Amino acid sequence: QITLKESGPTLVKPTQTLTLTCTFSGFSLSTSGVGVGWIRQPPGKALEWLALIYWNDDKRYSPSLKSRLTITKDTSKNQVVLTMTNMDPVDTATYYCAHRPRGYSLLFDYWGQGTLVTVSS
Amino acid sequence: DIQMTQSPSSLSASVGDRVTITCRASQSISSYLNWYQQKPGKAPKLLIYAASSLQSGVPSRFSGSGSGTDFTLTISSLQPEDFATYYCQQSYSTPEFGPGTKVDIK
């Protein structure tokens, strides 16, 4: 079965760079059409899509955050890494990674449990 | 950017009630509309994709309809485990989620 799990720091200081890792199993990111995305959710607020990487290394970013985001993959390790620069307290949120299935539009059918990242000095 | 709105923002209902949630896109998105359920402290769960297709394993009391700009999620008979927040998401272009609709116990 497909599982995903996020890992990274729980606390970062303002202006620092956040690096999150999504480790997954049950699928391969070398399979045509498959992707892994990142979505975040500030406490008590709605979901916000951040980035997506496809099996062929094609990358998509939220236009509003594009300048601060980088998404990469390590197919051999079954990992996807998201970096976000210049962190601010408003970036405090639970960050999720999720599986984008092949053959569908950009939706997410399996999600990690999420990791809460707090931005504070 | 395509903006998504949902109504109502919250509702109170009883077990057995029929519940309808509306999602509207700021421009036509054809049928590129998905619905998720999220319970407190948990990750979202995909319920409906392509406006009306039921995700595998999701109970048949959930249904979706609509196309273009107006969509609905219907729960035919609300069950205790359905109390949650529901989000729509357009996948026509850069993904955008709606603001959510919280369904709680009356």
Side-chain angles (χ1 to χ4, degrees):
Chain A
Q1 77 281 17
I2 290 176
T3 64
L4 306 98
K5 188 172 184 179
E6 307 85 354
S7 59
T10 58
L11 179 65
V12 298
K13 293 181 175 4
T15 76
Q16 286 187 336
T17 294
L18 171 68
T19 299
L20 294 173
T21 300
C22 176
T23 303
F24 56 86
S25 63
F27 68 96
S28 173
L29 204 37
S30 60
T31 300
S32 177
V34 170
V36 172
W38 286 92
I39 303 98
R40 71 178 180 179
Q41 185 173 39
K45 296 188 177 181
L47 301 161
E48 178 184 20
W49 173 74
L50 301 176
L52 175 78
I53 190 165
Y54 287 100
W55 85 104
N56 60 357
D57 212 37
D58 187 17
K59 300 166 187 177
R60 297 284 185 262
Y61 295 103
S62 165
S64 63
L65 292 167
K66 185 175 183 177
S67 64
R68 299 173 53 204
L69 296 174
T70 303
I71 190 169
T72 60
K73 64 181 176 69
D74 186 331
T75 304
S76 65
K77 292 183 178 179
N78 282 354
Q79 290 182 333
V80 170
V81 175
L82 180 76
T83 61
M84 180 180 290
T85 61
N86 195 25
M87 293 292 285
D88 183 272
V90 300
D91 297 313
T92 293
T94 296
Y95 287 75
Y96 296 99
C97 63
H99 172 262
R100 183 267 184 183
R102 60 181 296 184
Y104 295 87
S105 63
L106 217 162
L107 56 82
F108 302 101
D109 60 350
Y110 291 91
W111 294 60
Q113 64 190 24
T115 185
L116 176 61
V117 178
T118 301
V119 184
S120 174
S121 55
Chain B
D1 289 5
I2 298 175
Q3 305 303 316
M4 308 301 294
T5 57
Q6 288 182 234
S7 61
S9 57
S10 66
L11 66 90
S12 296
S14 300
V15 172
D17 283 353
R18 181 181 182 88
V19 170
T20 299
I21 298 168
T22 297
C23 176
R24 177 165 289 174
S26 59
Q27 66 185 73
S28 177
I29 56 171
S30 185
S31 295
Y32 291 94
L33 192 283
N34 313 301
W35 290 97
Y36 298 83
Q37 175 195 66
Q38 186 179 33
K39 297 180 179 179
K42 300 295 186 181
K45 173 187 175 182
L46 180 65
L47 298 177
I48 301 283
Y49 63 93
S52 60
S53 295
L54 195 66
Q55 174 69 355
S56 175
V58 174
S60 59
R61 62 181 180 272
F62 291 93
S63 64
S65 65
S67 67
T69 60
D70 294 321
F71 302 86
T72 59
L73 172 71
T74 300
I75 309 171
S76 61
S77 178
L78 197 66
Q79 298 301 299
E81 60 267 31
D82 301 336
F83 292 97
T85 300
Y86 294 85
Y87 294 95
C88 61
Q89 177 237 327
Q90 65 87 3
S91 50
Y92 180 82
S93 63
T94 303
E96 288 286 344
F97 290 88
T101 295
K102 184 177 181 180
V103 177
D104 61 23
I105 301 172
K106 194 172 192 177

